[in-house]
Amino acid sequence: MAVLVFAELENGKVGRNALEVLGGARSVADKLKMEVLCCVLDGDGGQRTGELGQAGADRVIVVKVATANPSDPESYLAALAETCTGIRPVLIMFAGTPVGRQLAPRVAHRLSYGIVTDCLSIRVADDGREILLTRPIYGGKVHAVFAAREGQVITVRPRALRPLEHPYRADPQVDYVEATPRGGQPRTRVVEVHKETESGVKLEEAKVVVAGGRGIGGPEPFAMLEELAGLLGGAVGGSRAAVDAGWLPATRQIGLTGKIVSPDLYVAVAISGSSQHMAGVANSRVIVGINIDPEAPIFHSAHLGVVEDYREFVPVLIEKIKSAKAC
Amino acid sequence: MAEPKPVSPETRNFLLSVGTGTLDWCMQCGFCTAVCPWRLAGGRLGTYFNIRRIQRLAQLGVEGFDDEEALFACTTCALCEAHCPRRVEIVANIRALRGILVEAGFVPQHLDPIISSLYANGNPWSGPRARRLDWARDLRLPRFERDTEYLLFVCCTSCYDPRSQRIARSVVRLLDSAGVSFGVIGTEESCCGDVADKVGAGEAFRQLALSNIRLFQSKGVRRIVTTSPHCFVAFRDRYPALGGEFEVFHYTEVLLERVRHGALGFARRLSERVAYHDPCYLGRHGGVFDAPRELLGVVLTAPLVELAWVREVSHCCGSGGGRLWAETPKGQRLGELRVSDALARGARVLTTACPYCVMTLEADCFGLGQQENLQILELGELLASCCI
Ligand SMILES: Cc1cc2nc3c(=O)[nH]c(=O)nc-3n(C[C@H](O)[C@H](O)[C@H](O)COP(=O)(O)OP(=O)(O)OC[C@H]3O[C@@H](n4cnc5c(N)ncnc54)[C@H](O)[C@@H]3O)c2cc1C
Ligand code: SF4
Ligand code: SF4
């Protein structure tokens, strides 16, 4: 019995996603006293078996498919499913990437396995038999726990699991599987891959978000917010009012019809706190409101409120952070 | 060259079975597309979204009627229905077609948090249920008792949105001044479900409606007065089929009746030039055109400014049918047309009687940089400012 991970490489390297899924697989397999098998495509994958061992794999299965194109899952789906059928692992894990999300349900179907997508955590139940999988439902309002006994495919949300802290083993057993390529014309074709060209930290992933609203008064003062965000390692966004005014690009709009963010720290500068805005930041851990008006509704939802003209307060805050960092 | 598409009788029959019963009445005259306000908005939806085409594809059972961008563009304003020579129930068709996608789990991304919150919190704003009455924090708000005449049902938007809370507070003040016997139930109330209904989330709508119906019945509610036309129409037209028979009124109707009986008077008159925007759900859907105008007639010293498109053919602000939760690029928004029209007619105040309209028109007025020239006021706010 084994736990199987499909390791998708990022630009030919073992990236963060693969490390996380292998780390998660390792902790589950240890509890279940099972091996971690890691499937990887030949080519770059064949060069990385040592790293995969360090990341937590006991055994690496290098799948050779002549026509495999890593970004086109259909080109190696059959080979992968065949490999899994031979092993029948209790659990098959994919990272929740575009490729993983395409492969997982197809593999599950071919093996008649169950599937739970977008898992946030995975652990073994106290009885040592069931695997408990947590995933968000109702738009993240509720976490549901699913219990799997056997034959389960899952996808794991990126950044939900942790890579191993210490290398596991440098010399995993390596097996090669030669698969016959699927005949016929490929049904899909990757036309091109667009990289999003957004500089700095992505809003949706930022741990700290500093946002400005209508009360900022113009585009120039956003430089001040950029500086604050930079010091905190965060990103800058704004209310729709700031976007409508042309002070920020539409990609920086935060709220129900903009980006929904859930940082550890959300700083709302000169934003009144409309429901459309606040519903987009409701999952933030700490919300700080900076507003000149003590009656501003933002103070009903903020954990910390600063009643002050932001033009007075933010420069002082920036100086304080700078001097604290200098110590 | 468009590829030929096979006509599927199965799909057709399925579409008819989910409630597009009037689809076959459509004779493809195209009136609906011609009058749809999206034509005037310019931008992508102005050319891409074609309601006649959606009816046709669905009639034939040909794929394409389920194009998410087009299908969810409709604001369900029903202007097209008002012009359709065959009386096709276009909005009901849209609802059913959306339902096929949504009930199969293909919820458009922008609506996902809304529907989730309706299930989880009983409102579309991700507001905690326990804070449903926050808008009345410092008011002495009567509770609904067995001998109360009206249940006052406050729209979720006015419960949770800080700007919109002012609307609920004004309506309470007016009902109070008019000596109306009213009360709220409070945190056990759920969203009327109109948005769920119109975006095709039929199961969410059913659950919300049934929970309200049980609650209202258990409290002995017979008459309901609403702050929002969306709740008004949902209660009046959609609840009876689920067993909820209540007498439903929009607050403007209740106030007008009190004014006529001399029970409500206003100490102050307004001399500003005021225009009135008919909310689609109060007007075309609800059939209430005169009550707001008559109330305005009592407090305005100058004649009401009428916009280009009013009453039965009024143009939508752009926020019905789930569009309050959808983004439209600046410069292509329906509300901008209403704001511009009011400005062109020399109005200084644009008033309306719906929390969605207020939210949208205000954002669009600001977006156009016209906030100094045109004030957006909800009718209740305007009337309350004329009380002593
Ligand atoms: C269809 C639709 C979709 C929408 N989607 C979104 C969305 O996704 N995201 C969003 O944000 N909004 C959205 N809105 C708009 C929303 O309704 C509000 O209009 C908007 O959020 C208000 O932005 P704001 O808080 O920046 O401006 P305001 O409400 O005008 O608030 C400005 C605040 O700045 C304060 N202020 C002024 N000067 C200073 C100073 N010197 N120092 C400190 N504070 C100061 C004021 O006291 C005030 O509280 C949407 C609206 C519609 C109709
Ligand atoms: S106006 Fe009515 S009959 Fe004419 S195309 Fe539209 S739905 Fe069909
Ligand atoms: S209901 Fe309104 S928005 Fe929808 S198609 Fe008809 S006229 Fe256009």
Side-chain angles (χ1 to χ4, degrees):
Chain A
M1 296 291 257
V3 173
L4 187 141
V5 169
F6 175 72
E8 177 192 343
L9 300 186
E10 295 164 41
N11 298 321
K13 299 201 178 69
V14 179
R16 170 99 192 187
N17 286 326
L19 295 177
E20 287 171 358
V21 181
L22 278 164
R26 188 71 260 157
S27 65
V28 172
D30 284 346
K31 292 256 164 51
L32 294 171
K33 306 204 170 27
M34 289 182 187
E35 275 191 323
V36 173
L37 310 186
C38 178
C39 262
V40 57
L41 289 182
D42 195 22
D44 289 321
Q47 316 291 317
R48 305 276 170 194
T49 55
E51 283 169 57
L52 295 169
Q54 291 183 345
D58 293 292
R59 195 144 73 86
V60 179
I61 304 169
V62 180
V63 182
K64 291 184 166 187
V65 193
T67 54
N69 165 7
S71 58
D72 172 15
E74 286 210 322
S75 68
Y76 51 89
L77 166 67
L80 186 63
E82 225 170 87
T83 310
C84 292
T85 310
I87 300 166
R88 296 207 71 81
V90 277
L91 180 68
I92 305 177
M93 300 172 67
F94 293 90
T97 59
V99 166
R101 290 204 303 256
Q102 291 180 69
L103 282 171
R106 291 173 164 88
V107 169
H109 178 71
R110 287 175 186 226
L111 273 78
S112 295
Y113 273 29
I115 180 163
V116 177
T117 56
D118 201 22
C119 293
L120 298 176
S121 80
I122 156 167
R123 67 197 154 85
V124 177
D126 294 337
D127 70 3
R129 292 194 311 172
E130 289 181 331
I131 301 172
L132 302 180
L133 306 159
T134 308
R135 64 155 304 184
I137 58 173
Y138 299 144
K141 281 279 169 194
V142 178
H143 285 180
V145 180
F146 295 83
R149 277 179 189 241
E150 56 192 18
Q152 189 67 35
V153 173
I154 67 172
T155 66
V156 180
R157 179 183 290 198
R159 306 299 163 268
L161 302 183
R162 282 172 186 283
L164 292 186
E165 281 177 20
H166 306 290
Y168 177 64
R169 56 186 295 181
D171 57 340
Q173 183 187 333
V174 181
D175 298 330
Y176 291 87
V177 180
E178 194 102 25
T180 35
R182 198 177 49 101
Q185 286 293 310
R187 289 192 295 179
T188 52
R189 179 166 65 88
V190 179
V191 181
E192 58 184 316
V193 178
H194 268 297
K195 266 239 176 306
E196 217 179 320
T197 51
E198 214 175 325
S199 58
V201 188
K202 266 193 171 177
L203 263 185
E204 301 94 314
E205 290 171 8
K207 292 251 180 278
V208 176
V209 173
V210 179
R214 177 138 52 216
I216 295 291
E220 298 83 14
F222 273 90
M224 199 196 285
L225 304 193
E226 290 283 357
E227 186 177 3
L228 178 59
L231 284 169
L232 298 169
V236 169
S239 70
R240 190 189 197 228
V243 170
D244 276 1
W247 306 335
L248 283 177
T251 50
R252 293 268 142 191
Q253 179 176 324
I254 293 173
L256 267 184
T257 63
K259 299 265 159 70
I260 295 192
V261 297
S262 47
D264 292 339
L265 174 64
Y266 185 72
V267 188
V269 189
I271 286 177
S272 65
S274 71
S275 52
Q276 264 143 335
H277 187 77
M278 297 317 286
V281 305
N283 286 334
S284 308
R285 194 167 298 167
V286 177
I287 298 178
V288 178
I290 303 172
N291 200 300
I292 200 165
D293 173 8
E295 302 291 320
I298 181 85
F299 294 130
H300 292 305
S301 4
H303 302 97
L304 212 74
V306 180
V307 181
E308 183 62 88
D309 188 328
Y310 83 92
R311 287 167 296 193
E312 304 285 333
F313 181 75
V314 174
V316 177
L317 181 61
I318 289 175
E319 282 318 309
K320 291 273 180 204
I321 296 174
K322 276 187 182 161
S323 55
K325 282 197 163 185
C327 299
Chain B
M1 253 289 282
E3 282 178 30
K5 290 185 171 149
V7 173
S8 142
E10 291 80 18
T11 312
R12 242 189 70 80
N13 291 340
F14 171 66
L15 291 177
L16 293 176
S17 77
V18 294
T20 59
T22 60
L23 210 50
D24 282 347
W25 301 357
C26 171
M27 59 180 182
Q28 290 291 295
C29 66
F31 257 108
C32 49
T33 296
V35 299
C36 175
W38 280 117
R39 291 288 83 65
L40 301 176
R44 179 169 163 77
L45 287 180
T47 47
Y48 187 72
F49 167 57
N50 180 336
I51 187 69
R52 178 204 52 75
R53 186 163 185 274
I54 293 179
Q55 311 288 318
R56 186 58 174 160
L57 295 173
Q59 263 183 346
L60 296 172
V62 171
E63 67 189 56
F65 62 80
D66 53 352
D67 171 337
E68 183 183 303
E69 186 184 1
L71 197 51
F72 288 87
C74 170
T75 69
T76 66
C77 75
L79 181 57
C80 50
E81 269 189 30
H83 286 82
C84 173
R86 301 298 299 264
R87 290 274 170 269
V88 175
E89 290 172 9
I90 302 173
V91 172
N93 292 347
I94 284 283
R95 184 176 63 215
L97 296 177
R98 289 176 175 181
I100 295 171
L101 292 187
V102 171
E103 299 292 50
F106 300 107
V107 180
Q109 203 184 357
H110 69 278
L111 292 174
D112 203 22
I114 313 309
I115 297 175
S116 305
S117 176
L118 285 171
Y119 277 118
N121 307 307
N123 67 73
W125 292 112
S126 299
R129 196 176 260 286
R131 295 182 69 172
R132 193 171 175 96
L133 282 185
D134 274 15
W135 62 273
R137 233 175 258 115
D138 50 350
L139 293 183
R140 277 206 334 266
L141 192 62
R143 292 307 169 120
F144 184 88
E145 311 282 352
R146 293 241 160 227
D147 56 356
T148 310
E149 185 178 0
Y150 290 97
L151 165 68
L152 169 64
F153 189 89
V154 176
C155 165
C156 298
T157 301
S158 295
C159 289
Y160 292 98
D161 182 70
R163 162 67 185 86
S164 202
Q165 289 177 346
R166 301 213 299 263
I167 300 173
R169 297 166 67 89
S170 304
V171 171
V172 164
R173 178 150 177 225
L174 291 162
L175 292 173
D176 219 13
S177 309
V180 176
S181 156
F182 71 97
V184 299
I185 297 177
T187 54
E188 295 156 88
E189 294 168 11
S190 300
C191 175
C192 67
D194 168 66
V195 51
D197 187 36
K198 293 303 182 332
V199 301
E203 182 51 29
F205 171 68
R206 216 179 61 88
Q207 287 189 24
L208 293 165
L210 288 177
S211 128
N212 276 335
I213 291 170
R214 278 188 215 114
L215 177 68
F216 297 171
Q217 286 170 344
S218 75
K219 300 279 179 185
V221 172
R222 285 182 309 108
R223 296 180 142 192
I224 306 176
V225 57
T226 71
T227 60
S228 165
H230 292 264
C231 316
F232 169 57
V233 170
F235 292 155
R236 192 193 66 183
D237 296 350
R238 303 289 289 162
Y239 277 32
L242 293 167
E245 301 268 1
F246 308 100
E247 272 185 87
V248 190
F249 303 87
H250 185 252
Y251 80 85
T252 52
E253 299 177 292
V254 174
L255 290 182
L256 181 63
E257 189 243 350
R258 296 294 150 139
V259 168
R260 283 183 181 151
H261 286 86
L264 175 63
F266 298 96
R268 217 163 70 84
R269 297 272 179 278
L270 290 180
S271 55
E272 276 103 330
R273 284 178 63 80
V274 177
Y276 174 70
H277 161 78
D278 286 280
C280 305
Y281 274 73
L282 188 59
R284 262 191 307 279
H285 285 275
V288 179
F289 299 104
D290 293 322
R293 287 183 169 77
E294 284 185 40
L295 287 167
L296 281 166
V298 177
V299 295
L300 298 186
T301 55
L304 180 67
V305 177
E306 289 286 6
L307 300 176
W309 300 95
V310 291
R311 294 179 173 265
E312 286 83 356
V313 294
S314 172
H315 277 181
C316 179
C317 73
S319 61
R323 291 299 300 183
L324 186 60
W325 294 272
E327 196 52 270
T328 312
K330 196 181 146 192
Q332 307 173 12
R333 297 176 184 159
L334 297 182
E336 292 165 347
L337 300 171
R338 298 304 269 173
V339 167
S340 304
D341 190 21
L343 283 164
R345 277 155 214 282
R348 299 289 297 172
V349 175
L350 178 57
T351 188
T352 185
C354 167
Y356 291 7
C357 296
V358 168
M359 194 176 237
T360 311
L361 294 172
E362 198 161 78
D364 292 347
C365 186
F366 264 104
L368 291 173
Q370 294 291 351
Q371 64 275 18
E372 304 297 330
N373 303 321
L374 186 71
Q375 192 185 7
I376 310 296
L377 276 181
E378 205 275 342
L379 181 58
E381 295 172 338
L382 184 144
L383 295 174
S385 75
C386 297
C387 289
I388 316 150

